[in-house]
């Protein structure tokens, strides 16, 4: 019995991580709060299969695959130029990526910085 458990454990331990392009199960809740007016919106996102209430689920899932679910890799795109206007957005993402819990929280100075960093994972339809 011990040998069988050890064999299962070893097989699990040596199973390679999915390749960046591989479809892995994802279930996230994404919320975006426009701080000054107090407007809060939330979306659900599923990948493999793609679904949920997210308006650009396929693009969001593609970006998640590209960063392998590591939300800390959400960074401003190279060459992003935004005004210094202070109109903050708070973003929170919670859920599961390929069986592991993910949690992300970030404040963006304005809609341009939000869109230039976190879109398409975090939808943004406000002023840039």
């Amino acid at each position: 019995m011990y040998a069988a458990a050890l064999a299962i454990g070893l097989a699990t331990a040596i199973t390679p991580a999915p390749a960046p392009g591989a479809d892995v199960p994802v279930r996230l809740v994404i919320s975006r709060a426009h701080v000054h007016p107090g407007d809060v919106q939330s979306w659900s996102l599923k990948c493999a299969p793609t679904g949920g209430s997210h308006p650009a689920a396929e693009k969001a899932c593609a970006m998640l695959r590209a960063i392998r679910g590591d939300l800390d890799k959400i960074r401003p795109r190279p060459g992003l130029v935004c005004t210094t206007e202070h109109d903050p957005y708070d973003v929170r993402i919670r859920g599961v990526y390929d069986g592991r819990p993910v949690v992300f929280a970030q404040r963006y100075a304005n809609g341009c910085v939000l869109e230039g960093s976190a879109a398409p994972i975090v939808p943004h339809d406000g002023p840039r």
Side-chain angles (χ1 to χ4, degrees), residues 30-43 87-92 107-108 111 114 122-127:
I30 301 160
S31 66
R32 180 192 73 209
H34 195 176
V35 175
H36 293 307
D39 176 38
V40 178
Q41 291 184 288
S42 293
W43 302 270
D87 188 19
Y89 285 83
D90 286 336
V91 169
R92 302 216 187 298
R107 176 168 278 186
Y108 295 93
L114 167 63
V122 179
H124 182 264
D125 50 30

Side-chain angles (χ1 to χ4, degrees), residues 2-24:
Y2 175 75
L6 181 60
I8 291 170
L10 286 174
T12 302
I14 60 173
T15 301
D23 286 335
V24 296

Side-chain angles (χ1 to χ4, degrees), residues 77-102:
R77 288 179 182 72
L80 179 66
V81 177
C82 294
T83 65
T84 58
E85 171 190 15
H86 182 71
D87 188 19
Y89 285 83
D90 286 336
V91 169
R92 302 216 187 298
I93 303 172
R94 292 182 183 270
V96 177
Y97 181 91
D98 193 27
R100 66 180 163 79
V102 292

Side-chain angles (χ1 to χ4, degrees), residues 8-83:
I8 291 170
L10 286 174
T12 302
I14 60 173
T15 301
D23 286 335
V24 296
V26 177
R27 299 219 184 314
L28 300 177
V29 174
I30 301 160
S31 66
R32 180 192 73 209
H34 195 176
V35 175
H36 293 307
D39 176 38
V40 178
Q41 291 184 288
S42 293
W43 302 270
S44 61
L45 175 65
K46 294 187 323 182
C47 305
T50 303
S53 62
H54 194 288
E58 290 197 20
K59 289 180 181 179
C61 290
M63 184 173 177
L64 283 165
R65 279 191 304 274
I67 62 173
R68 300 182 89 169
D70 184 356
L71 299 177
D72 289 331
K73 289 184 178 177
I74 294 175
R75 298 276 183 251
R77 288 179 182 72
L80 179 66
V81 177
C82 294
T83 65

